[in-house]
Amino acid sequence: MSEKVRSMFADIADDYDRVNSILSFGVHHAWRSRTVQLSGAREGDHVLDCATGTGDLALEFKEKVGEQGYVLGTDFCQEMIEHAPEKAQTNGLAVDFEVADAMNLPYENDRFDIASIAFGIRNVDDPVKALKEMGRVVKAGGKVVVLEFGQPKGLLKYPYELYSQYIMPAVGGWISGNREAYTYLPRTSAEFPAGDKFVALMKESGVFGSQSYEKLTGGIAYIYVGTVR
Ligand SMILES: C[S@@+](CC[C@H](N)C(=O)[O-])C[C@H]1O[C@@H](n2cnc3c(N)ncnc32)[C@H](O)[C@@H]1O
């Protein structure tokens, strides 16, 4: 499974940012900014962004932690992460990027104040294992933050389903040339445990003393925050 996911992202890496901006109408920037806010990141903090892809959340964290802080973005797909250093440079931000698997992080215990993952946890083979790893590399009292899609209910339910089942695969497939990837992404979002169900996975990981979440845009996305025990 991991290799299939990795090669799918490798295939869409060059078009990922463009498709993302078009399909999300740019709203993902506001979601990332709220993620950084809810993480409680402060100047000087050390942050690990897992499954960083092309690095957007890592850059958002670097803006917050400033020159005294340190941000490391990691992803298991070389082709995705290759785009990140140039974006950091263009934005005048010093961020390190490395290839690493979120389920097997090559970092010592308690190295970071915060570990984050945006739209990545639903792609890993074992989300609880990734949460455990993220909790392991964060100091006691530090935070693990997860930004992930959910399934909106109420008025947004049917328009969103229509959008994700038909428009996303058509537009994403047309721009990237990989329709399968833009069928996989909304399908995994529709199936992924959101809200209380994800909180149950956080509890199962055993690494958090407390956990909470916030719904974004009517439940299209969620931010989960765990405080490492
Ligand atoms: C939908 S993209 C999200 C990228 C970025 N975080 C963002 O918000 O745009 C999912 C990313 O998760 C990465 N990924 C999936 N499984 C992973 C794993 N086990 N370890 C590290 N990265 C992984 C993929 O390579 C891909 O870059």
Side-chain angles (χ1 to χ4, degrees), residues 70-85:
Y70 173 73
V71 179
L72 173 61
T74 60
D75 198 286
F76 79 163
C77 177
Q78 172 78 41
E79 290 83 348
M80 283 291 278
I81 210 170
E82 259 167 22
H83 294 266

Side-chain angles (χ1 to χ4, degrees), residues 189-215:
S189 302
E191 290 166 359
F192 194 72
D196 292 337
K197 290 183 190 154
F198 189 73
V199 164
L201 297 184
M202 293 176 85
K203 287 182 178 161
E204 191 185 324
S205 75
V207 293
F208 304 115
S210 63
Q211 48 272 306
S212 59
Y213 67 84
E214 182 172 299
K215 253 189 214 186

Side-chain angles (χ1 to χ4, degrees), residues 21-35:
S21 287
I22 295 169
L23 288 178
S24 79
F25 305 105
V27 81
H28 67 109
H29 295 297
W31 291 349
R32 288 179 211 280
S33 154
R34 182 69 179 147
T35 304

Side-chain angles (χ1 to χ4, degrees), residues 2 5-6 9 16-17 20 28 32 49-57 74-77 80 100-103 117-120 122-125 147 185:
S2 285
V5 170
R6 205 206 57 73
F9 280 106
Y16 180 82
D17 282 347
N20 224 5
H28 67 109
R32 288 179 211 280
D49 185 38
C50 298
T52 196
T54 58
D56 280 356
L57 187 59
T74 60
D75 198 286
F76 79 163
C77 177
M80 283 291 278
D101 189 326
M103 293 189 301
I117 185 163
F119 308 115
R122 76 177 194 281
N123 295 300
V124 306
D125 281 353
L147 171 61
L185 292 170

